[in-house]
Amino acid sequence: MTTPSSLESLIEALRCLPGVGPKSAQRMAYHLMQHDRPGARRLAEALAAALGAVRHCRRCNTFTESEVCTRCLSPRRDASLLCVVETPVDMNMMEQTHAYSGLYYVLMGRISPLDGIGPSELHLERLLTRASDGLVKEVIIATNYTNEGEVTAHYLAETLRQRGVNVSRIARGVPVGGELEHIDAGTLAQALRERRPLAG
Amino acid sequence: MTTPSSLESLIEALRCLPGVGPKSAQRMAYHLMQHDRPGARRLAEALAAALGAVRHCRRCNTFTESEVCTRCLSPRRDASLLCVVETPVDMNMMEQTHAYSGLYYVLMGRISPLDGIGPSELHLERLLTRASDGLVKEVIIATNYTNEGEVTAHYLAETLRQRGVNVSRIARGVPVGGELEHIDAGTLAQALRERRPLAG
């Protein structure tokens, strides 16, 4: 190979992106150098700017450019409700429901023993302090219904209850618009077990 | 959405990468900010370095950091053979065969009317000047056997022949190790039409 060394370094550096292997890194580098140098310039600048500006909200732990994010500062949010999610994307999904007006805590991950991520790697003590601030009346756990999300939920529920905090979990069941025919048996079994009485 | 603006800009900037849509750009940006800030730093630096250093070889048009690339300067290459390929990757593939010791011309693309890429967008006049330098005895066209590669090959062959240059095309047929059972009918039909007499 006689690839120039700065191009080799770029190909290598692109592999820090999740899901990018050697072949796509090469394709990306060649594309940028041949067809989109302005885009490459913008990307380099955006990376540097984000590295300088992005940090974690001291209250909810999401990405922000200030000490405390705007949502945590808003007087219109109900400070007695604290919803725990895995990622900022999940927080945005919750917001899009327009069904929640409380505050959030973003774990920025989940407990995953296989990846060596336990409670201490997630800095859960910050959440526990936050939940015991006297304002929070209920912690709603909205981690994913995956194995890891469930492990995280159980750990949090136990720890929070020991501190006398009310804990709930978002419901699990048949999705709205879902047809029984197309739903996996596990979900259906849970929906059956967790059935609710109908008003009537 | 309350994504910080520098993070929004980063997500937007990542979309200059081929094959990266809004969802993967978001995933990449969050991953970098949360888990790989050193990688993001390296990527920003590698982009800037490559933008500053990488240019096109004045002779063969491939990526290089010098005026003329090392391969074009090598006295061990046969200057009477000129192989035309679409991309630097294709050139590396040819080199890996160890079956070619001539020089190259890299088109950095292909004729593609649907994308608005014609002969002038490919700067083919540079190749034509090069092929008529008196040293080149044969131009071997090694563009892909795709529709666009074929259109490019036909255009080049015609233009070069008008200038009295000998032109050949790499062979098309059943791949080495290929089983007829698993080869598409078009390839097999071509392999039949382009059969060669066996020495015997």
Side-chain angles (χ1 to χ4, degrees):
Chain A
M1 297 277 284
T2 53
T3 312
S5 66
S6 61
L7 200 54
E8 280 290 4
S9 307
L10 175 56
I11 293 169
E12 189 51 42
L14 281 163
R15 298 200 45 201
C16 72
L17 299 171
V20 174
K23 285 255 175 187
S24 4
Q26 189 181 55
R27 195 163 43 91
M28 287 173 168
Y30 284 10
H31 171 83
L32 292 178
M33 289 300 113
Q34 182 64 23
H35 299 295
D36 197 5
R37 288 185 174 232
R41 177 87 53 202
R42 273 195 304 276
L43 178 53
E45 288 163 0
L47 283 162
L51 282 166
V54 175
R55 50 176 164 163
H56 294 284
C57 170
R58 206 158 47 85
R59 300 207 73 209
C60 76
N61 201 35
T62 194
F63 290 127
T64 178
E65 290 177 358
S66 41
E67 183 86 6
V68 175
C69 76
T70 47
R71 187 172 292 125
C72 284
L73 289 172
S74 165
R76 275 175 306 185
R77 310 291 305 202
D78 180 353
S80 72
L81 289 175
L82 185 67
C83 178
V84 180
V85 291
E86 296 183 18
T87 67
V89 178
D90 296 342
M91 182 171 70
N92 289 332
M93 298 303 293
M94 289 291 294
E95 284 296 290
Q96 279 165 35
T97 65
H98 298 292
Y100 181 70
S101 62
L103 294 169
Y104 291 93
Y105 189 86
V106 183
L107 296 172
M108 289 289 177
R110 59 209 66 80
I111 294 176
S112 174
L114 288 177
D115 303 314
I117 300 169
S120 59
E121 281 71 25
L122 282 182
H123 307 291
L124 293 185
E125 66 286 354
R126 285 185 54 205
L127 165 59
L128 299 178
T129 315
R130 172 75 189 281
S132 328
D133 67 357
L135 289 171
V136 174
K137 302 290 174 233
E138 181 184 350
V139 171
I140 302 168
I141 302 180
T143 56
N144 290 329
Y145 268 111
T146 57
N147 282 342
E148 294 163 346
E150 281 282 75
V151 167
T152 309
H154 285 132
Y155 179 88
L156 285 176
E158 199 147 320
T159 323
L160 287 164
R161 267 193 220 106
Q162 280 168 10
R163 302 187 174 214
V165 181
N166 281 323
V167 187
S168 62
R169 180 93 170 94
I170 53 166
R172 162 170 62 181
V174 179
V176 173
E179 292 172 315
L180 265 56
E181 188 180 336
H182 300 117
I183 282 162
D184 68 290
T187 298
L188 198 51
Q190 285 296 344
L192 181 65
R193 253 176 254 139
E194 293 168 17
R195 65 191 179 277
R196 303 142 149 269
L198 272 179
Chain B
M1 297 277 284
T2 53
T3 311
S5 66
S6 61
L7 200 56
E8 279 291 6
S9 307
L10 175 56
I11 293 169
E12 188 52 41
L14 282 163
R15 298 201 44 201
C16 72
L17 300 171
V20 174
K23 285 255 174 188
S24 4
Q26 189 181 55
R27 195 163 42 92
M28 287 172 167
Y30 283 11
H31 170 82
L32 291 177
M33 289 302 112
Q34 182 66 22
H35 299 294
D36 197 5
R37 288 185 174 231
R41 177 86 54 201
R42 273 195 303 278
L43 178 53
E45 288 163 1
L47 283 163
L51 282 166
V54 175
R55 50 178 165 160
H56 294 284
C57 170
R58 206 156 49 83
R59 301 207 73 208
C60 77
N61 199 36
T62 194
F63 290 127
T64 178
E65 289 177 358
S66 41
E67 182 86 7
V68 175
C69 78
T70 48
R71 187 173 292 125
C72 283
L73 289 172
S74 166
R76 275 176 306 186
R77 308 294 304 203
D78 180 352
S80 72
L81 290 175
L82 185 67
C83 177
V84 181
V85 291
E86 295 183 19
T87 67
V89 178
D90 297 342
M91 182 170 71
N92 288 333
M93 297 303 291
M94 290 291 294
E95 283 297 288
Q96 280 166 33
T97 65
H98 298 291
Y100 181 71
S101 61
L103 294 170
Y104 291 93
Y105 188 86
V106 183
L107 296 173
M108 290 288 176
R110 59 208 67 81
I111 294 175
S112 174
L114 287 178
D115 302 313
I117 301 171
S120 59
E121 280 72 25
L122 281 181
H123 307 292
L124 292 184
E125 66 287 353
R126 286 184 55 204
L127 165 59
L128 300 177
T129 315
R130 172 76 189 279
S132 329
D133 67 357
L135 289 171
V136 175
K137 301 290 175 234
E138 180 184 350
V139 171
I140 302 168
I141 302 179
T143 55
N144 289 330
Y145 269 110
T146 56
N147 282 343
E148 293 163 348
E150 281 283 74
V151 167
T152 310
H154 285 131
Y155 179 89
L156 285 176
E158 198 148 320
T159 323
L160 288 164
R161 267 193 220 106
Q162 281 169 9
R163 302 187 173 214
V165 181
N166 281 323
V167 187
S168 63
R169 181 91 170 96
I170 52 167
R172 163 170 61 181
V174 179
V176 174
E179 292 171 314
L180 265 56
E181 188 180 336
H182 300 117
I183 282 163
D184 68 291
T187 299
L188 197 52
Q190 286 295 343
L192 181 66
R193 253 176 253 139
E194 292 168 18
R195 65 191 180 277
R196 304 139 149 273
L198 272 179

